[in-house]
């Protein structure tokens, strides 16, 4: 579904990804693992064309997208739930969700899936996004991404900074988006237990490249200790 082959990515003159080669199976979750600062977020930003420059091949389905502008990649079916959520605090819940529809083009509307997944948001559409809890803001960020009508969802640390009683709900929603609604998901996540439960495949990132990858059953404790232990 989504693959990168020999991709280098840059912020100014600084190279952040080196010969990155990863592939997300269609209709599956690919877990992206690694220590902080090794290039996981840059990988997602490169897929969307949000770094200063990149080289190499990025393919969505059978379509090369590496030369497309960010909005063209979004309209091709890629949506992003960024680290820190980045909702607009003065916008209402409704406005934040509908903003995601700009990326898809056409009529902007709240996706039919949102009331089922996030009933609180639908019951409070006129509340400002800035008054929501961290977990509710994460729900809003996911709903905003769904308004893009994506085929592929990029999720960067979706359980980070969320109250523990909400984390399990967010995890279950991510699994449902994949298993029930068929979204291909690239999931950057530090929680190895959750990645093992949710993902079909993994890629371990270090120094801006994939040093280990494969079926999730091949992710060993030795790999985790070697590449994620502090």
């Amino acid at each position: 579904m989504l693959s990168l082959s020999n991709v280098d990515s840059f912020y100014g003159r600084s190279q952040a990804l080196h010969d990155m080669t990863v592939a997300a199976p269609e209709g599956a979750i690919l877990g992206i693992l690694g220590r902080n600062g090794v290039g996981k977020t840059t990988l997602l930003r490169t897929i969307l064309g949000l770094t200063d420059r990149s080289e190499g091949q990025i393919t969505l389905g059978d379509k090369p997208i590496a030369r497309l502008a960010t909005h063209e990649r979004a309209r091709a079916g890629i949506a992003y739930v960024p680290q820190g959520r980045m909702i607009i605090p003065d916008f209402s819940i409704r406005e934040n969700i509908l903003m995601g529809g700009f990326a898809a083009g056409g009529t902007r509307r709240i996706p039919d899936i949102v009331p089922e997944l996030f009933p609180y948001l639908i019951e409070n559409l006129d509340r400002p996004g800035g008054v929501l809890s961290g977990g509710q803001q994460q729900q809003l960020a996911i709903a905003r991404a769904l308004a893009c009508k994506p085929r592929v969802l990029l999720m960067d640390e979706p359980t980070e900074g969320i109250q523990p009683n909400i984390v399990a709900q967010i995890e279950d929603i991510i699994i449902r988006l994949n298993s029930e609604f068929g979204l291909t998901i690239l999931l950057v996540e530090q929680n190895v237990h959750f990645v093992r439960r949710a993902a079909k495949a993994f890629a371990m990132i270090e120094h801006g490249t994939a040093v280990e990858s494969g079926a999730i059953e091949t992710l060993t404790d030795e790999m985790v200790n070697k590449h994620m232990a502090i």
Side-chain angles (χ1 to χ4, degrees):
M1 166 60 84
L2 178 67
S3 65
L4 289 79
S5 180
N6 308 116
V7 171
D8 300 328
S9 191
F10 301 82
Y11 293 111
R13 296 183 179 180
S14 177
Q15 186 170 354
L17 296 185
H18 303 260
D19 198 30
M20 177 69 75
T21 297
V22 296
E26 183 170 4
I29 296 176
L30 174 68
I32 307 294
L33 299 164
R35 298 183 181 91
N36 290 333
V38 298
K40 303 187 301 297
T41 294
T42 298
L43 169 60
L44 301 189
R45 290 176 58 83
T46 298
I47 292 169
L48 266 178
L50 294 174
T51 60
D52 293 336
R53 177 170 61 92
S54 68
E55 301 170 354
Q57 298 180 2
I58 306 175
T59 305
L60 178 62
D62 58 359
K63 180 180 180 180
I65 63 170
R67 298 294 172 259
L68 298 182
T70 295
H71 74 277
E72 293 173 314
R73 302 186 198 198
R75 289 182 180 177
I78 303 175
Y80 185 32
V81 180
Q83 188 176 32
R85 300 174 283 275
M86 295 176 65
I87 60 107
I88 299 180
D90 292 334
F91 276 23
S92 69
I93 290 173
R94 186 197 319 274
E95 290 166 334
N96 270 281
I97 296 174
L98 293 179
M99 185 176 62
F102 278 97
T107 303
R108 291 182 293 278
R109 57 187 295 274
I110 296 175
D112 294 338
I113 188 178
V114 170
E116 179 181 350
L117 293 177
F118 309 117
Y120 176 85
L121 299 183
I122 298 302
E123 294 164 3
N124 295 274
L125 284 172
D126 295 323
R127 293 196 75 192
V131 305
L132 303 181
S133 69
Q136 291 164 347
Q137 288 187 5
Q138 187 63 69
Q139 293 179 2
L140 180 54
I142 296 171
R144 178 183 60 194
L146 294 175
C148 183
K149 304 176 184 176
R151 300 162 59 196
V152 177
L153 193 57
L154 312 178
M155 308 192 80
D156 196 353
E157 301 279 9
T159 62
E160 181 184 46
I162 294 175
Q163 53 270 47
N165 62 315
I166 303 298
V167 167
Q169 296 178 27
I170 297 294
E171 291 179 352
D172 288 344
I173 285 167
I174 292 168
I175 290 173
R176 287 189 64 192
L177 288 171
N178 170 246
S179 62
E180 294 184 26
F181 302 101
L183 284 178
T184 301
I185 299 175
L186 274 71
L187 174 66
V188 170
E189 181 58 68
Q190 294 288 340
N191 185 334
V192 176
H193 175 74
F194 173 45
V195 171
R196 282 178 165 147
R197 181 166 74 97
K200 181 177 181 180
F202 79 95
M204 186 72 72
I205 309 301
E206 185 137 27
H207 303 304
T209 195
V211 293
E212 307 274 6
S213 63
I216 197 64
E217 294 81 9
T218 66
L219 175 62
T220 64
D221 291 341
E222 289 77 12
M223 289 181 193
V224 172
N225 290 333
K226 179 179 180 181
H227 298 295
M228 295 186 70
I230 296 178

